[in-house]
Amino acid sequence: MTVPGIDWPRLVAWMGAHVPSEGEPVSVSLISGGRSNLTYLVETTGRRVVLRRPPLGHVLPTAHDMRREWRVISALHGTPVPVPEPVAFCADEEVIGAPFYLMGYVEGAAVRNRQELATPGPEETRRLSQRLAEVLAEIHAVDYRAAGLSDFGRPDGYMARQLERWCQQWERSADRQEPAYDRLVARLRARLPATPAAAPAATLVHGDYRLDNTLVRADPPEILAVVDWEMSTLGDPLADLGLTLTYWHDRGDDERASIPVAGDVTLAPGFLSAAEFSAHYAKVSGRDLADLDFYVAFGNFKLAVIVEGIHARFRQGKTVGEGFERIGGAVPTLIARAHRTLDDGTA
């Protein structure tokens, strides 16, 4: 059996030695791949399990950390935060060429566009979007110390470090002048909490929370598992919310349609608007969202840097596929949206 990223004979031998209770492996197939971690379905004589490994080719030593993902789902399993069942971790790169872990298969789907919510209907879709806010609040309510995650990140100065990190990424990627970018960085820097004590209390943060990073049962609506924890750490919970809202496409926001990231799932009939989602999160979490405009502006800034990196790789001939020739146009749009958010004081 030949599947990219998998040495099938070695995987079968490893599973037989380390997780014989899962049954004999029968087949493996790629579920999802790309620039992020790769996900495979492994069929065994006992049940289905899922394998996660880093992308193929060279990756930075600190990127795509399998042990980090494994650690967080192991810590959260059994808490109110829905995650797949952790099964086994393998640090031995000789098995399939990289560290990997196995988790239980979840009978859900990643929902990426509004057509996928046509069958449940508006009422069920509204409830699903409410659950998206509630699960985010549950992540932020985890007692990370009790869960054994006290050393999972450095919460003090989190937003300041995030700003500097993404500024450095911009310097590595940008090959054009964007005067509005420099002014945005100055405005964000001026809004950073003056002291660690002035920042919101640290929580576990997912780092890339949106509906298509969950596994969903659409009817009746429920989020069965939160996945893709590779960006998770300890930090400011409102940074999670701000980035989630950056991906939002509200009805009537024609400009948002020109930003080719994330799907159009939030346009499904019944789905909460960004303002409704924020209000529901505030209600269930009890958090003060008075400074949410800063976090949404920061989310637009971060996404602009990510898109600029994709644009730069396309110009260098390192990215192929449809639509990449247009993606660079989203960068000034995202920067302008960040400025408007700070100008208006509303998210």
Side-chain angles (χ1 to χ4, degrees):
M1 184 177 300
T2 303
V3 177
I6 298 292
D7 186 319
W8 179 244
R10 290 193 177 207
L11 177 63
V12 170
W14 185 89
M15 289 183 65
H18 293 87
V19 284
S21 60
E22 298 301 319
E24 181 182 351
V26 175
S27 66
V28 61
S29 56
L30 183 67
I31 297 175
S32 65
R35 292 183 298 272
S36 189
N37 294 329
L38 306 180
T39 307
Y40 303 82
L41 175 64
V42 181
E43 299 269 7
T44 79
T45 54
R47 62 165 177 163
R48 292 173 165 182
V49 294
V50 171
L51 184 150
R52 289 270 285 174
R53 61 148 293 160
L56 304 179
H58 175 72
V59 296
L60 296 174
T62 57
H64 309 288
D65 187 343
M66 291 295 95
R67 189 180 294 277
R68 189 171 195 82
E69 281 200 11
W70 166 257
R71 185 178 173 191
V72 75
I73 68 165
S74 298
L76 292 178
H77 188 60
T79 73
V81 179
V83 293
E85 173 198 355
V87 175
F89 176 79
C90 176
D92 185 358
E93 297 187 14
E94 296 299 317
V95 179
I96 65 168
F100 68 91
Y101 68 90
L102 300 175
M103 59 186 177
Y105 178 77
V106 176
E107 293 280 355
V111 177
R112 294 184 172 87
N113 61 68
R114 56 182 163 175
Q115 286 76 24
E116 294 175 73
L117 293 178
T119 300
E123 185 175 340
E124 290 81 2
T125 294
R126 181 175 183 82
R127 181 61 193 136
L128 180 62
S129 57
Q130 289 175 332
R131 280 297 294 150
L132 189 67
E134 291 162 9
V135 171
L136 182 60
E138 288 167 359
I139 292 171
H140 297 159
V142 167
D143 184 339
Y144 63 82
R145 296 179 181 86
L149 296 173
S150 296
D151 60 346
F152 199 61
R154 294 184 296 137
D156 286 352
Y158 172 77
M159 291 305 299
R161 287 197 310 278
Q162 282 283 297
L163 181 58
E164 295 312 312
R165 172 189 173 184
W166 290 105
C167 283
Q168 291 168 10
Q169 186 65 35
W170 175 272
E171 293 300 323
R172 287 193 289 267
S173 300
D175 59 358
R176 53 182 169 165
Q177 293 296 315
E178 286 288 348
Y181 166 83
D182 294 326
R183 189 165 65 89
L184 177 59
V185 170
R187 297 183 75 181
L188 293 173
R189 191 169 282 130
R191 285 284 300 273
L192 289 170
T195 65
T203 70
L204 177 67
V205 296
H206 180 275
D208 195 22
Y209 187 78
R210 58 185 194 264
L211 189 63
D212 60 336
N213 277 339
T214 71
L215 299 175
V216 166
R217 181 187 66 209
D219 190 13
E222 187 54 85
I223 292 175
L224 301 179
V226 180
V227 294
D228 292 351
W229 290 91
E230 61 187 285
M231 301 293 289
S232 60
T233 188
L234 303 182
D236 189 329
L238 297 188
D240 250 359
L241 178 60
L243 185 60
T244 298
L245 294 172
T246 301
Y247 288 117
W248 222 268
H249 187 173
D250 272 338
R251 288 172 284 280
D253 185 358
D254 295 336
E255 181 185 66
R256 185 63 182 79
S258 70
I259 303 173
V261 290
D264 63 354
V265 67
T266 59
L267 289 174
F271 214 96
L272 294 178
S273 68
E276 290 171 328
F277 182 85
S278 302
H280 194 61
Y281 171 86
K283 176 183 176 181
V284 297
S285 69
R287 295 189 184 280
D288 180 359
L289 303 188
D291 291 329
L292 184 57
D293 62 321
F294 165 74
Y295 293 96
V296 173
F298 190 94
N300 278 281
F301 156 77
K302 177 179 175 179
L303 193 53
V305 176
I306 292 170
V307 172
E308 181 66 16
I310 297 170
H311 171 68
R313 288 193 293 275
F314 168 75
R315 286 172 57 88
Q316 295 163 9
K318 297 179 180 178
T319 300
V320 295
E322 294 183 3
F324 286 109
E325 70 280 1
R326 300 187 302 273
I327 199 168
V331 174
T333 302
L334 286 161
I335 292 172
R337 288 170 74 90
H339 277 295
R340 285 203 305 273
T341 298
L342 294 173
D343 290 340
D344 298 341
T346 57

